[in-house]
């Protein structure tokens, strides 16, 4: 079955950067895209961007353009997300999720990123 | 970005009743709208994709309708496990989410 294993929770200072990983299993990684989505306390879910697992092309939310990077290692079935210039507003649970033809279907358990001085 | 507005914010119903949840888009998303269920401490679960298509394994009591800017998720004959937060997601180029509707036990 489709499963994701994410890197562990992170605690960062304001201004720092964070790097998260997401290892997929149970499907052909190259045939689907991986999205990154976050859920901050009291706020609606926010989409950060996606990467095509096979071709590696990406698309980002304008909200995060210039601050987010998404890469993948198809040989390791793993996607990576980096976010720079962290503020307390970036404190959230970060999910990776798979999409088929643009439809987000399976989600990871999520990992908490806390930003605090 | 397209803004999705869900209503009501909270819906208080009893098992066996019918729930009707609404999602309105600030501009047309054609049929590219999905519905998800989320329970505390869990990731979202896809219920309906492209407005009206039930995902594999989702019970038939969940149904979706609508197109353009107005969409509805209906849960007929609510089961105890259905009490959760439901949100909509549009995927026209960029992706945006509704703020969610909490279905709670009356």
């Amino acid at each position: 079955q489709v499963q994701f294993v994410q890197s562990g929770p992170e605690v960062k200072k304001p201004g720092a950067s964070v790097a998260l990983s997401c290892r997929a299993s149970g499907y052909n990684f190259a045939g689907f895209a991986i999205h990154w989505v976050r859920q901050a306390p009291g706020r609606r879910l926010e989409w950060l961007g996606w990467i095509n697992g096979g071709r590696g092309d990406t698309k980002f939310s304008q909200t995060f353009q210039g601050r987010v990077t998404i890469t993948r290692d198809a040989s390791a079935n793993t996607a990576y997300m980096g976010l720079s210039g962290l503020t307390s507003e970036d404190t959230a649970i970060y999910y990776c999720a798979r999409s088929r033809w643009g439809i987000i279907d399976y989600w990871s358990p999520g990992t908490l990123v806390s930003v605090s001085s | 970005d397209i803004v999705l507005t869900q209503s009501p914010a909270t819906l208080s119903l009893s098992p066996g009743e019918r729930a009707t949840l609404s999602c309105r888009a600030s501009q047309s998303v054609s049929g590219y709208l999905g519905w998800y269920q989320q329970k505390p401490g869990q990731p979202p679960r896809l219920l309906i994709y492209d407005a009206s298509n039930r995902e594999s394994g989702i019970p038939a009591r969940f149904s979706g309708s609508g197109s353009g800017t107005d969409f509805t998720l209906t849960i007929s004959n609510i089961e105890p496990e259905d009490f959760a937060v439901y949100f909509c997601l549009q995927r026209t180029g960029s992706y945006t989410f509704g703020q969610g509707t909490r279905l709670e036990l009356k």
Side-chain angles (χ1 to χ4, degrees):
Chain A
Q1 69 277 28
V2 176
Q3 288 188 317
F4 299 99
V5 176
Q6 289 184 259
S7 46
E10 301 270 4
V11 179
K12 295 292 182 181
K13 300 281 189 194
S17 298
V18 68
L20 305 178
S21 67
C22 169
R23 180 167 53 85
S25 62
Y27 72 96
N28 174 23
F29 183 85
F32 297 80
I34 291 284
H35 298 246
W36 288 88
V37 178
R38 75 181 189 181
Q39 190 166 34
R43 297 178 63 175
R44 66 179 69 195
L45 286 144
E46 289 184 286
W47 175 76
L48 284 81
W50 62 255
I51 186 165
N52 182 293
R55 297 190 305 268
D57 50 304
T58 55
K59 182 175 174 120
F60 303 109
S61 164
Q62 286 192 325
T63 301
F64 299 97
Q65 190 87 38
R67 208 160 67 91
V68 65
T69 59
I70 300 177
T71 61
R72 99 287 184 231
D73 178 350
S75 67
N77 292 346
T78 301
Y80 304 90
M81 189 279 292
L83 190 63
S84 62
L86 294 172
T87 73
S88 58
E89 303 269 289
D90 294 312
T91 294
I93 296 172
Y94 286 75
Y95 298 98
C96 59
R98 188 189 83 161
S99 72
R100 62 178 199 259
W101 307 296
I103 300 161
I104 295 179
D105 54 7
Y106 289 95
W107 298 64
S108 68
T111 194
L112 178 63
V113 174
S114 299
V115 183
S116 174
S117 55
Chain B
D1 278 354
I2 295 173
V3 177
L4 299 181
T5 303
Q6 292 187 240
S7 60
T10 304
L11 193 53
S12 301
L13 293 171
S14 301
E17 292 192 292
R18 181 186 188 92
T20 303
L21 289 69
S22 172
C23 178
R24 177 163 291 178
S26 59
Q27 62 191 80
S28 177
V29 300
S30 185
Y32 299 122
L33 187 119
W35 290 94
Y36 296 77
Q37 176 193 70
Q38 188 175 30
K39 296 181 179 179
Q42 296 183 17
R45 174 192 180 198
L46 175 63
L47 302 174
I48 302 289
Y49 64 92
D50 290 350
S52 60
N53 297 281
R54 195 179 308 113
E55 177 69 347
S56 174
I58 300 302
R61 63 181 181 273
F62 292 93
S63 63
S65 64
S67 66
T69 60
D70 289 294
F71 299 85
T72 300
L73 173 70
T74 302
I75 312 171
S76 60
N77 196 16
I78 296 170
E79 296 284 342
E81 63 267 27
D82 298 337
F83 293 101
V85 176
Y86 293 84
F87 58 87
C88 50
L89 164 63
Q90 69 82 23
R91 61 180 187 91
T92 56
S94 186
Y95 289 69
T96 53
F97 294 83
Q99 82 278 24
T101 290
R102 179 178 304 279
L103 176 61
E104 66 174 24
L105 181 62
K106 186 174 182 179

